[in-house]
Each structure stands twice: as C-alpha cells, then as structure tokens.
C-alpha cells in the first residue's frame, strides 16, 4: 500500500492536509524530520501513516498518559495494532505488552520518556526492530517551551543504545525559533527536514469582549452554547475563580466541573474523563488543564481572564475545533487582568534563582509578551491578523471570522451604490450636507427633507435597504478618493473624478460594513437526522467503551448527516469512514438513516427541533419531576425570566433529562394558552406562542433583549406575578392530575 491508500484504508481520508505529505515523505525516505504545525493540523497522521508502512515498530514518546491512552484508543478503533507503556499499567500488564511486542504484535508503541532507560524496555528494543522514533510534543525538551520535561533530555542516550539508529521525527505546535533550535540540537537530529505550516485555523472564530459583569456575560455565553448541545472549556486565572465560576454554573443548572492543580489527582482524572466522555458539558479550569486533551469536539473556549501571553492564549484557545468544525474562542477582558499579570511577572522576578542580569532579561521578555497580549485585547483591528503576525506570519485583509471583521468592514464592490449616492448628490444640488444626502437615500420622513421638497427626487429612498453605517462608509470612500468634496459649510458637490464611475467606466471597491451580514457558521443540515446519528454514536460509544468522538468526530458526523447513506457503498464514500468503521458501526448508522427517512416527514420535521422531548421516557421522567417539586419552597424570583429559565430554576437540583425542560415548558404553556395568558399564532409555517389577551393580568409581556452578539430579539418575559401564577396555579394543576 502506498501512503495515499494507507490514509484512505485506515484513516478514511481522501486527501492529506497541508504539510502532512511532505512530512510523511521525509520520514519514509529515512530523513530526520521536524514538523511544526498548529494544534489540530493533524500531526499524528504524519507519523502514523509511515508507521504502517515501515517494516518494524514505531516508538512514539509522548509526555502524558492521557494523550497516549487517547491516541492508542483511537488507533485500535481504526483496527491498527498499537499499545502504550506507562505508569497507568501495572507490572503484569507491562509484561504482557512487552511479550506481545517481542512477538511483533504492534506497529506502534507509545511510551513515556521515563520508561526509556528501564532494563526491561531496553531489552525489548534490542530484540525488535525500531524503525522510527517519534517525539510528540517535542517542545517539552526545551527550557524555552512552556512545558519543559527533564525526562525528555534522556531521549538521545536511549537512541544511542539501540542496535541501529531509527529515523527520528519530532512534532510540536510551538513555533518559536528558540524552541525549534533546541529540539534539533538536544535530540541530536541529523540535518533534519523542517516544515512549519501555517498557523491560521480558519474554523476558529475569535472575539474579545469587555463586559461590565464578566460572570453574567460568561453565563449568557455558556447558556447559548450548551443549549445548542455544544461543549467547551472555560479558562480562569486563579483557582479561586475556577471554584467560584464552577459553583455558579452548577447553580445555573449546567453540567460543569472544575479542574486545577489544587485538586486531588483522582478528582482531576474523573473530571477530565467526564469531560472527554461528554458526561459534562463544561469544564472550568486554570491553565493546568489541557495538554493531555485530545478531545476533538471542544466547540468553544472562553477565557474568563486575559492570559499572560499570546502563546498561551493561542494554545489554549486552539483546543477548540480540532475536528475542523466552526468553533468559538472568546476572551473576556477587564483592565484588572493587567495588574494581576504584572504582579505575577514581578513575583517570579523576585523569586527567581537566576543571576540578576538573566532574571532581568526574563522579566523584560515577559513584559514585552504581556504588552502584546494587552494589545490583542484592546486594539481595534482584525484579531486573526494580529495573532498571526505575532507568530511571524503575514496576513492581509479581513478574516471575516473575528469579532472585529464580522462587525467591521469588508472589502466589497460598491460601484452601484456609489453611483446611486453620487447621482443623489448631483440631483440634490446645492445645499445638502452628508446627513441630508443620507436621509434622502434612505427615504427619511424627516420634516426638513419634506420642506426642501427632496422627497420628490427620483433618488429619494433608493437605498432604503442599506443601513446608515453602510451609506456613511460609502460616502467616506467617495470623499477620500476625491470623487466629491465638501465646502466649508459641509455641503457636498461632485468633482470631475466622479465621471468615469457615473458613466460606468470604472468600478469601485471599498471597505464597508458587510451587507450580507457576515456569515453565520451554522451549516444547513437536517438537525433531526443529526440528532438521531448523535444518539447512535452515543450508544456505540457506550457499547465499545470509548469516547463519542473516537467513534466518529463531530465533523465526520456532519458529513454523514449530509450524505445520509443507506447503503454500504454510500457509507464508505463519506469522508472519514473506513472499512473498520463500517464493520463496527456502519450498520447501526445506516439503519438510523433508513428509519429516519421512513418516518413520515411531517413528524420528522416537527422532531427537528425537539427530539429528546418526544422520547416517552424523557416525558415520563419530566412529569415525575414536575409532580415531585415542592412548590411551597418557591419564594419568587424578582427579575423577569423566560419560561425555560424559570423551569430551570425550579428544577435545578433535579436530574432533569435532556429535553425535559421542553416537555415541561410545553405542558405549562399549553395551560397558559387555555387561561388566555398566552396565545398561539402561525408564523412562517411554525406555531409560536406569544402573550395572549390576558397576558398583562398574568404579568407576561414581550420585551426586547440583547443577545450575546449584540443582536436584539424579542422574548416573552415572566415577571414575579407570572412566576407565582405558574408555580402555584399552573404547576399545581399539573401536579393534581
Ligand atoms: P495535532 O496533533 O496536530 O493537534 P491531530 O493529529 O490530533 O492533530 O489531528 C487533528 C484532527 O484532524 C483529528 O481529528 C484527525 O483525525 C484529523 N485529520 C488528520 N489528518 C486528516 C486528513 N488528512 N484529512 C482529514 N482529517 C484529518
Ligand atoms: Mg497531537
């Protein structure tokens, strides 16, 4: 098999990602190889494909037990013979692995660096043929890196003890020159082939927010993500903050857990596993969390505080979206973060054991890094551009996927709109300033416009569909490029330069607010089917005792959903599917697709939005919980709440199943409709519930509220009267039946 076939056959991918092929070729040719690629770029495949093509065994040195376990589980699930040796195994198990290895059972063995100089392991390596030695997370060998591991320094010694020198490969996501040099020097690599691939991760959306109340903002964000079934990481600066945030999120009803260095090993392990196996949706952590995490379906990373430097930030944020799905990296910034970081730098300076001048140099370097980080948080510019240029990459234009570019300007062909504006300036003639021109274009009902008779012009209202900011930006561009000028009174008039554009001989491009309302990331997929496939994945994960994403990554699940295969052939054509995957889980997925297609469409369509709540077991459990609620404990919440929020508050310490809130909500709103407090109306083919004729009496009203992205939406709000009503009357009614 050649590398292409190996990639397809074992890993199910049709093509290599950027950089993979060159690195694979280099290893296959026997040349030492250093690959520097950002997290999620697919470094493992770079050494796993050659491992399946080499004669002997490939040893992979990896710093963390959990990393090894993850990778080996993934390999075994792909039908590749692999094992690991580390302190997670007892002596018996180690012997078993060694025995099997000596008999040539494995293609890939992951090993902890501490194992390399044990007699048992050295003996094994003298018996088997080690074709390649791969150092994963190779930055751990460097003092400059952020995760220095002294045991990595023993690797070259180990290599020398082998009967023949294997090809040496090193992989890392840390790009700085100092670290790269250290890796090559300390691993004693032979004229290695070095490849550094682009650091841009296009699927990551970056945003910096400066909320007044960070905890409230964070809660809102977490709500939004978790309600959509997404899971993620919240990073906080201190253990105390981790504790506080976790407690708060739990109180709000989220499945959250904490992670920091002050916990017992046991609790850390459990919480991490719960996160990996999707038993909890959010993990709140200090920067102690992450290196061992190969979870590919982390779909948001929120930093509650500004991290100390861009390297840390990019590494931590980069844990989102490793499977290539659109994912969000949000940083909540407050100026007091700066003081904390300065304080920490000062502390480590004062406690440094380095000679004075070196300690001062370190401090200076850290201060510089901090100021770059502050710059990222405070400057108005494309965030991705700033980040990439920090890592030494040139980046031009608007990325369209950061908070600046999404709200900001996009280079657009504005010829037609510029023509409209200029012809308006021309028609209005003397006496109109920018504001008046804009008002005419937008068809404003302003009295001044009517008094001047400008509403009779043919250009009146021709840009009704454009917002003011957009028109402003166009006018700005017209003036900046000299096609129009303003006199001392601010009155606009065209210049000769306007002619070629008005005649249609020249086109105009300008940076203007994105008229298309820059892209939502949500793919257009059948959410009902998606939900079914997710269920199958979950069952299969349980059956095989593996995390969900090892069965299929989220992006593979999306592909599967889009393709909706009903035959083996169709299944195999989906990106990411392999023979082994077909044999193990294919039948189950195909059956789910068939069942879904068979189910009569109207009900399938309805199920799209509310799948779990239709499950009879969920319904039964939700009703049980409703009946068990001790309503006499309710003392009222004084703010205005949505109905779901109220239900969550009431049931927060109960084990409400997924979809349960919806079951209760429907039951409650059904009764409110019967009381005339709510009404059902048809809207674009959907039935929606709105305040009814008696809404005011019940304390129910429609309010406008701002979503976390600043967009406004309408919400039916329940004030304390309404909450009383619902709890004591409506819920009471339900409890009685
Ligand atoms: P890294 O170690 O560089 O952070 P991984 O090796 O863990 O990244 O790979 C990240 C994800 O990319 C994994 O889900 C992996 O299966 C996927 N992947 C790797 N190579 C390819 C490829 N050629 N095509 C599609 N997906 C790939
Ligand atoms: Mg990796």
């Amino acid at each position: 098999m050649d590398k292409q076939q190996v990639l397809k056959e074992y890993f199910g991918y049709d093509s290599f990602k950027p950089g993979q092929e060159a690195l694979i070729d280099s290893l296959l040719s026997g040349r030492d190889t250093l690959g520097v690629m950002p997290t999620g770029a697919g470094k493992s495949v770079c050494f796993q494909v050659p491992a399946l093509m080499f004669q002997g065994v490939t040893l992979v040195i990896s710093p963390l037990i959990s990393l090894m376990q993850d990778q080996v589980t993934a390999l075994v699930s792909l039908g590749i013979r692999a094992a690991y040796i580390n302190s997670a195994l007892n002596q018996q198990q180690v012997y078993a692995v060694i025995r099997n290895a000596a008999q040539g059972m494995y293609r890939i063995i992951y090993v902890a660096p501490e194992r390399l100089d044990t007699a048992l392991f050295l003996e094994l390596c003298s018996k088997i043929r080690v074709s390649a030695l791969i150092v994963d997370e190779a930055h751990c060998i460097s003092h400059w890196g952020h995760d220095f591991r002294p045991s990595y320094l023993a690797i070259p010694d180990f290599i020398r003890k082998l009967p023949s020198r294997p090809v040496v490969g090193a992989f890392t996501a840390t790009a700085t020159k100092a670290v790269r040099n250290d890796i090559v020097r300390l691993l004693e690599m032979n004229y290695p082939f070095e490849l550094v691939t682009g650091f841009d991760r296009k699927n990551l959306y970056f945003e910096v927010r400066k909320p007044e109340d960070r905890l409230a903002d964070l809660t809102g964000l977490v709500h939004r993500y978790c309600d959509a079934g997404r899971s993620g990481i919240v990073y906080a600066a201190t253990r105390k903050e981790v504790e506080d945030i976790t407690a708060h999120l739990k109180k709000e009803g989220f499945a959250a857990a904490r992670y920091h260095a002050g916990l017992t090993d046991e609790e850390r392990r459990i919480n991490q596993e719960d996160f990996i196996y999707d038993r909890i949706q959010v993990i709140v952590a200090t920067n102690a969390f992450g290196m061992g995490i190969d979870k590919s379906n982390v779909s948001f990373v929120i930093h509650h505080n500004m991290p100390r430097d861009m390297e840390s930030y990019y590494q931590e944020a980069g844990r989102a979206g490793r499977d290539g799905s659109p994912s969000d990296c949000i940083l909540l910034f407050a100026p007091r973060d700066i003081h904390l970081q300065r304080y920490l730098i000062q502390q480590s300076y004062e406690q440094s054991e380095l000679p004075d001048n070196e300690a001062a140099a370190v401090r200076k370097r850290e201060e510089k890094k901090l100021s770059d980080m502050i710059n990222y948080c405070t400057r108005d510019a494309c965030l991705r551009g700033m980040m990439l240029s920090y890592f030494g990459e040139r980046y031009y234009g608007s990325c369209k996927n950061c908070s600046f570019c999404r709200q900001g300007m996009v280079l657009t062909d504005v010829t037609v709109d510029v023509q409209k504006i200029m012809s308006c300036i021309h028609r209005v003639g003397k006496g109109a300033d920018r504001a008046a021109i804009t008002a005419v274009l937008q068809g404003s009902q302003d009295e001044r416009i009517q008094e001047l008779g400008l509403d009779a012009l043919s250009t009146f209202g021709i840009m009704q569909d454009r917002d003011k900011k957009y028109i402003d930006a166009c006018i700005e561009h017209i003036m900046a490029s000299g096609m129009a000028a303003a006199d001392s009174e601010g009155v606009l008039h065209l210049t000769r330069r306007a002619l070629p554009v008005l005649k249609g001989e020249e086109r105009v491009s300008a940076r203007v607010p994105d008229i298309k309302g820059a892209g939502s990331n949500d793919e257009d997929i059948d959410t009902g089917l998606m939900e079914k496939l997710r269920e199958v994945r979950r069952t299969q994960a349980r059956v095989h005792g593996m995390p969900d994403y090892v069965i299929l990554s989220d992006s593979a699940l999306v592909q599967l959903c889009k393709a909706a295969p009903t035959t083996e052939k169709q299944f195999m054509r989906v990106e990411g599917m392999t023979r082994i995957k077909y044999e193990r889980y294919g039948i189950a997925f195909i059956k789910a697709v068939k069942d879904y297609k068979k189910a009569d469409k109207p009900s399938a369509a309805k199920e799209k939005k509310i799948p779990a709540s239709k499950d009879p077991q969920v319904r039964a459990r939700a009703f049980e919980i409703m009946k068990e609620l001790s309503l006499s404990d309710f003392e009222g919440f004084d703010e205005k709440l949505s109905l779901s929020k109220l239900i969550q508050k009431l049931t927060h310490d109960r084990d409400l199943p997924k979809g349960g809130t919806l079951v209760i909500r429907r039951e409650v709103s059904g009764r409110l409709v019967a009381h005339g407090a709510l009404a059902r109306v048809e809207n674009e083919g959907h039935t929606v519930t709105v305040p009814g004729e008696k809404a005011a009496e019940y304390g129910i009203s429609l309010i406008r509220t701002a979503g976390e992205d600043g967009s406004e939406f309408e919400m039916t709000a329940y004030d304390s009267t309404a909450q009383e009503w619902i709890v004591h009357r409506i819920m009471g009614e339900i409890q009685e039946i």
Side-chain angles (χ1 to χ4, degrees), residues 43-44 71 136-137 294 322:
K43 290 186 284 292
S44 315
Q71 298 240 327
D136 202 6
E137 313 291 347
D294 246 344
R322 298 184 53 147

Side-chain angles (χ1 to χ4, degrees), residues 61-68 86-87 111-116 135-156 179 182-183 186-187 259 268 272 287-293 315 319:
I61 295 163
S62 172
L64 286 182
I65 293 177
S66 56
L67 264 181
M68 293 187 221
N86 59 36
S87 57
V111 56
E114 292 78 15
R115 291 275 151 169
L116 295 177
V135 185
D136 202 6
E137 313 291 347
H139 58 275
C140 291
I141 202 168
S142 169
H143 284 284
W144 290 95
H146 33 83
D147 300 303
F148 174 59
R149 303 273 148 140
S151 53
Y152 264 56
L153 294 170
I155 298 173
V179 172
D182 266 5
I183 294 173
L186 296 169
L187 282 178
Y259 192 104
R268 277 206 307 246
Q272 172 169 327
N287 60 9
F289 179 77
M291 235 258 279
I293 304 305
Q315 179 131 35
R319 295 195 171 113

Side-chain angles (χ1 to χ4, degrees), residues 407-670:
Q407 54 124 42
M409 310 293 194
V410 183
L411 199 60
T412 314
D413 184 325
V414 290
T415 311
V416 175
D417 286 331
V418 162
Q419 286 169 337
K420 288 182 184 168
I421 295 169
M422 295 199 302
S423 84
C424 181
I425 296 175
H426 179 68
R427 299 243 151 109
V428 168
K430 288 200 168 65
D433 57 11
R434 276 175 75 152
I437 297 289
T438 309
V440 172
L441 288 164
Q442 287 199 300
S444 156
Q445 297 304 318
D446 194 318
E447 279 176 20
R448 192 168 69 111
I449 302 293
Q450 288 172 16
E451 277 165 22
L452 293 171
L454 296 177
D455 55 346
L457 293 177
S458 60
T459 49
F460 182 79
I462 49 169
M463 290 182 77
Q464 261 172 348
D465 57 336
R466 297 281 189 256
D467 77 354
K468 190 169 164 309
K469 268 196 197 148
Y470 173 85
I471 299 177
D472 259 355
C474 289
I475 297 181
E476 194 64 48
H477 185 81
I478 291 169
M479 306 204 29
S481 51
M483 293 185 281
D487 64 17
S488 55
E489 316 258 270
V491 173
L492 300 185
H493 56 88
L494 298 182
T495 70
R496 296 188 66 79
R497 291 212 202 150
L499 274 180
V501 177
L502 279 171
K503 285 193 200 155
E505 293 163 3
E506 259 178 34
R507 301 202 70 81
V508 187
S509 284
R511 280 191 189 288
V512 291
D514 192 354
I515 19 180
K516 290 181 292 298
S520 121
N521 261 331
D522 297 334
E523 302 232 26
D524 187 19
I525 55 168
D526 184 339
T527 49
L529 177 58
M530 190 66 188
E531 195 58 38
K532 291 276 174 250
L533 296 176
R534 224 187 271 283
E535 278 165 25
V536 174
R537 178 174 70 171
R538 158 121 319 177
T539 319
Q540 293 297 319
R542 294 240 170 90
V543 172
H544 290 90
M546 290 188 216
D548 288 6
Y549 64 85
V550 171
I551 305 291
L552 272 192
S553 69
D554 280 359
S555 59
L557 207 62
V558 168
Q559 296 302 332
L560 200 64
C561 183
K562 283 186 181 162
T566 50
T567 64
E568 175 186 346
K569 228 180 174 169
Q570 290 172 354
F571 183 89
M572 289 297 290
R573 259 190 253 128
V574 179
E575 184 182 310
M577 301 308 144
T578 60
R579 176 124 309 275
I580 298 269
K581 286 212 194 291
Y582 174 74
E583 278 161 12
R584 293 202 182 144
Y585 334 112
I587 316 276
F589 282 114
I590 287 175
K591 180 169 180 309
V593 173
K594 281 187 179 159
D595 288 351
Y596 182 77
K597 287 190 174 172
K598 242 192 277 161
D600 63 337
K601 275 296 160 190
S603 85
K606 256 191 236 149
E607 238 177 294
K608 266 188 185 179
K609 270 195 178 158
I610 37 145
S613 61
K614 288 236 158 164
D615 180 341
Q617 270 177 335
V618 171
R619 294 183 63 82
R621 180 74 195 123
F623 275 101
E624 222 173 280
I625 289 175
M626 262 191 287
K627 296 203 165 171
E628 285 166 10
L629 289 180
S630 35
L631 301 179
S632 52
D633 290 345
F634 176 78
E635 291 174 355
F637 308 102
D638 35 23
E639 342 96 280
K640 287 190 172 182
L641 294 177
S642 69
L643 188 52
S644 319
K645 201 63 199 277
L646 171 68
I647 293 164
Q648 267 164 20
K649 285 199 175 220
L650 284 170
T651 54
H652 75 98
D653 56 358
R654 315 298 306 252
D655 205 5
L656 199 60
K658 188 167 179 293
T661 313
L662 204 59
V663 173
I664 304 182
R665 198 175 81 198
R666 302 197 122 203
E667 196 59 34
V668 172
S669 55

